[in-house]
C-alpha cells in the first residue's frame, strides 16, 4: 500500500478549478520507504475537480481516545478589524471540531484588543478565550537595523514586484511567526498549537483529536497543503540556511527531510503552507530551532528581503525532523482564500 499523490483545488477568478499538484510531500510504501516526487510543474485543468483521496488503511482511520486531551490551544493572530473573519473561522472550527473538544483560543495582537472583539469572540465558543499583547520588541525592527535601510529595501522590493514587500506589518508578522509567537507568555502552558487565520473554511467533521493523534505518535508538525515559494521573496534564504548547516552540522540528525526541500544542492522552493499548521511547541522551542532562527534574524532577511515563516518552518522541519515526525492531515477539509484541500475517503 502506498499513499496517493495529492494536491489542492485552487479556484480561479474565472470559475475554473485547477487541481494543482505541487510539492508531493511523500508516498510511504509498506516497508517504510520514503519516495519524493516533485510535481509542482504539473497543472491539470478540470471543470469537475476530484477530491483528494485518503487510502484505505490510513492511520487516520485510527481514532483517538475521546476522553483524552492534550495541552493545546488554537492560536489566532488578528487585529480588531479582523473580527468578522475571526468569527467566521470560529464558527467553522466549532462546528467541525472544537465544539466537541473545547480547546482554548489564544488571540494575539500588536495592539490591545477592544471590548467588542473580546465580547463577540468569547460569546462564540464555550471554550476559554485568552487575549494577549505582542511585546513591542517582537513586532518591530531589531535594534541593529536602521529604519532608513528597511524603508529603502521595501521601496526596492515594491519596484521589483515582490508580493507584500512594501507592507511593514507583513515583515513583522513573518518574523513574529518565525521566531517569537511560541515565546508568548500566554502559550507557555501549552505543548501544541493549531494556527487559525481569519476567513477560513473547514469542510469536514473531525471525529478524532489531531493534538492527541500527534502526541501519541511523536509527530511535531502537521499540514494540509504545500506550495512553491515565490523566488523573489527569498533570494538569499537558502545560502543563509546552508551557512547555518555548515556551522551546526553536528546538531543535524542523519535521518531528516532535506530530500523533500532540495533538488541537488539547491532549495526547490517547496514549503508547507503555514496558514494552516498544527505543531508542537517543543519543536519551535528547541535549542536547534532557536539557533536557526537567530542565525536567520542576524542576516536581516526578514526585512531586507521578504522571508516568510512558511519556508522558515519548512526548512527547519526538513533539517531537524524525520518523516515520522511530520504528518499530512489528508482528512481535514480546508479553504483559505484560493487555497483549498478537499479530502474524501475511498
Amino acid at each position: 500500500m502506498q499513499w496517493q499523490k495529492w494536491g489542492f483545488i485552487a479556484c480561479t477568478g474565472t470559475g475554473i478549478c485547477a487541481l494543482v499538484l505541487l510539492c508531493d510531500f511523500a508516498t510511504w510504501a509498506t516497508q517504510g520507504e520514503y519516495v519524493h516526487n516533485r510535481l509542482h510543474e504539473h497543472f491539470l485543468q478540470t471543470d469537475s475537480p476530484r477530491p483528494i483521496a485518503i487510502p484505505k488503511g490510513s492511520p487516520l482511520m485510527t481514532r483517538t481516545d475521546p476522553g483524552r486531551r492534550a495541552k493545546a490551544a488554537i492560536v489566532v493572530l488578528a487585529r480588531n478589524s479582523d473580527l468578522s473573519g475571526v468569527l467566521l473561522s470560529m464558527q467553522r472550527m466549532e462546528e467541525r471540531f472544537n465544539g466537541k473538544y473545547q480547546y482554548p483560543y489564544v488571540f494575539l495582537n500588536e495592539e490591545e484588543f477592544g471590548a467588542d472583539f473580546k465580547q463577540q469572540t468569547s460569546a462564540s465558543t464555550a471554550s476559554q478565550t485568552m487575549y494577549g499583547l505582542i511585546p513591542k520588541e517582537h513586532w518591530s525592527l531589531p535594534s541593529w537595523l536602521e529604519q532608513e535601510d528597511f524603508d529603502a529595501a521595501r521601496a526596492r522590493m515594491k519596484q521589483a514586484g515582490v508580493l507584500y514587500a512594501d507592507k511593514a506589518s507583513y515583515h513583522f508578522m513573518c518574523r513574529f511567526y518565525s521566531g517569537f509567537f511560541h515565546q508568548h507568555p500566554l502559550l507557555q502552558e501549552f505543548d501544541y498549537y493549531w494556527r487559525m487565520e481569519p476567513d477560513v473554511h473547514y469542510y469536514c467533521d473531525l471525529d478524532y483529536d489531531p493534538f492527541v493523534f500527534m502526541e501519541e505518535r511523536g509527530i511535531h508538525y502537521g499540514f494540509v497543503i504545500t506550495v512553491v515559494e515565490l523566488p523573489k521573496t527569498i533570494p538569499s534564504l537558502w545560502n543563509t540556511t546552508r551557512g547555518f548547516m555548515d556551522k551546526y552540522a553536528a546538531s543535524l540528525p542523519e535521518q531528516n527531510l532535506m530530500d523533500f526541500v532540495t533538488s541537488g544542492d539547491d532549495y526547490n522552493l517547496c514549503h508547507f503552507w503555514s496558514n494552516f499548521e498544527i505543531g508542537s511547541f517543543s519543536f519551535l522551542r528547541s535549542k536547534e530551532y532557536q539557533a536557526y532562527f537567530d542565525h536567520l534574524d542576524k542576516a536581516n532577511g526578514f526585512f531586507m528581503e521578504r522571508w516568510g515563516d512558511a519556508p522558515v518552518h519548512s526548512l527547519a522541519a526538513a533539517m531537524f525532523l524525520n518523516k515520522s515526525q511530520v504528518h499530512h492531515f489528508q482528512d481535514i477539509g480546508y479553504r483559505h482564500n484560493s487555497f483549498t484541500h478537499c479530502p474524501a475517503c475511498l
Side-chain angles (χ1 to χ4, degrees):
M1 183 273 292
Q2 290 186 329
W3 289 99
Q4 304 293 313
K5 295 181 176 66
W6 65 279
F8 66 85
I9 307 300
C11 296
T12 67
T14 62
I16 302 298
C17 290
L19 176 59
V20 185
L21 298 177
L22 293 177
C23 309
D24 184 9
F25 171 64
T27 50
W28 280 278
T30 54
Q31 65 269 31
E33 179 183 4
Y34 169 65
V35 182
H36 168 62
N37 298 308
R38 297 195 336 268
L39 299 172
H40 55 264
E41 297 177 353
H42 301 285
F43 297 83
L44 174 64
Q45 297 292 331
T46 175
D47 293 322
S48 301
R50 293 169 295 171
I52 306 307
I54 303 170
K56 293 179 180 178
S58 162
L60 290 183
M61 301 303 177
T62 301
R63 300 312 176 194
T64 54
D65 180 351
R68 179 177 171 181
R69 295 292 181 272
K71 294 172 64 176
I74 299 164
V75 178
V76 186
L77 179 63
R79 292 190 170 113
N80 289 294
S81 58
D82 294 320
L83 176 59
S84 61
V86 170
L87 294 176
L88 178 67
S89 297
M90 290 184 70
Q91 178 185 348
R92 273 63 182 270
M93 177 67 80
E94 291 294 305
E95 290 173 350
R96 300 303 189 184
F97 169 69
N98 206 46
K100 176 179 179 180
Y101 289 92
Q102 297 190 0
Y103 281 102
Y105 291 86
V106 178
F107 298 95
L108 301 176
N109 190 354
E110 80 271 23
E111 300 177 350
E112 292 285 356
F113 283 109
D116 188 50
F117 187 100
K118 293 180 179 180
Q119 189 279 323
Q120 292 204 47
T121 51
S122 62
S124 298
T125 178
S127 301
Q128 180 185 14
T129 54
M130 308 164 70
Y131 305 88
L133 181 66
I134 297 171
K136 184 173 180 58
E137 62 269 22
H138 292 173
W139 198 272
S140 60
L141 291 178
S143 59
W144 59 85
L145 190 61
E146 297 295 332
Q147 183 69 46
E148 293 79 7
D149 294 334
F150 180 40
D151 292 342
R154 287 163 53 210
R156 169 180 51 79
M157 288 185 282
K158 181 179 181 180
Q159 183 68 26
V162 180
L163 188 65
Y164 304 134
D166 60 322
K167 301 180 183 297
S169 62
Y170 198 89
H171 294 263
F172 296 147
M173 177 195 69
C174 291
R175 182 175 182 245
F176 175 72
Y177 266 133
S178 295
F180 298 119
F181 92 96
H182 49 276
Q183 299 180 19
H184 196 280
L186 288 182
L187 296 174
Q188 296 313 297
E189 65 181 279
F190 301 112
D191 297 331
Y192 295 88
Y193 68 95
W194 182 330
R195 175 171 164 177
M196 188 183 81
E197 299 287 317
D199 296 303
V200 164
H201 297 254
Y202 299 100
Y203 291 119
C204 305
D205 292 337
L206 279 180
D207 58 356
Y208 73 99
D209 186 333
F211 297 124
V212 173
F213 178 87
M214 293 176 69
E215 188 173 53
E216 289 178 341
R217 292 160 177 80
I219 297 169
H220 289 284
Y221 193 86
F223 69 99
V224 295
I225 292 170
T226 65
V227 297
V228 178
E229 184 58 291
L230 301 171
K232 288 182 178 180
T233 66
I234 55 166
S236 69
L237 176 60
W238 177 238
N239 284 339
T240 307
T241 299
R242 289 190 66 177
F244 171 84
M245 290 191 290
D246 291 341
K247 185 177 180 180
Y248 294 93
S251 68
L252 303 180
E254 292 185 9
Q255 301 296 322
N256 57 29
L257 294 170
M258 291 305 296
D259 284 348
F260 172 62
V261 297
T262 56
S263 298
D265 292 331
D266 294 324
Y267 178 34
N268 61 18
L269 303 178
C270 286
H271 67 75
F272 307 119
W273 200 54
S274 60
N275 285 31
F276 176 104
E277 60 182 13
I278 306 176
S280 75
F281 282 125
S282 64
F283 166 53
L284 297 179
R285 293 170 183 154
S286 67
K287 63 180 182 180
E288 293 84 4
Y289 182 88
Q290 192 59 52
Y292 178 52
F293 170 74
D294 290 343
H295 181 84
L296 297 183
D297 204 26
K298 292 296 172 55
N300 294 328
F302 292 109
F303 299 103
M304 304 309 289
E305 298 178 12
R306 206 231 67 193
W307 295 354
D309 55 278
V312 170
H313 283 184
S314 301
L315 288 170
M319 283 188 287
F320 304 129
L321 302 179
N322 61 55
K323 65 180 182 182
S324 69
Q325 295 172 307
V326 177
H327 184 74
H328 177 206
F329 281 103
Q330 297 192 73
D331 56 348
I332 296 181
Y334 175 84
R335 179 169 69 83
H336 184 217
N337 298 329
S338 61
F339 293 96
T340 300
H341 174 65
C342 301
C345 288
L346 293 174

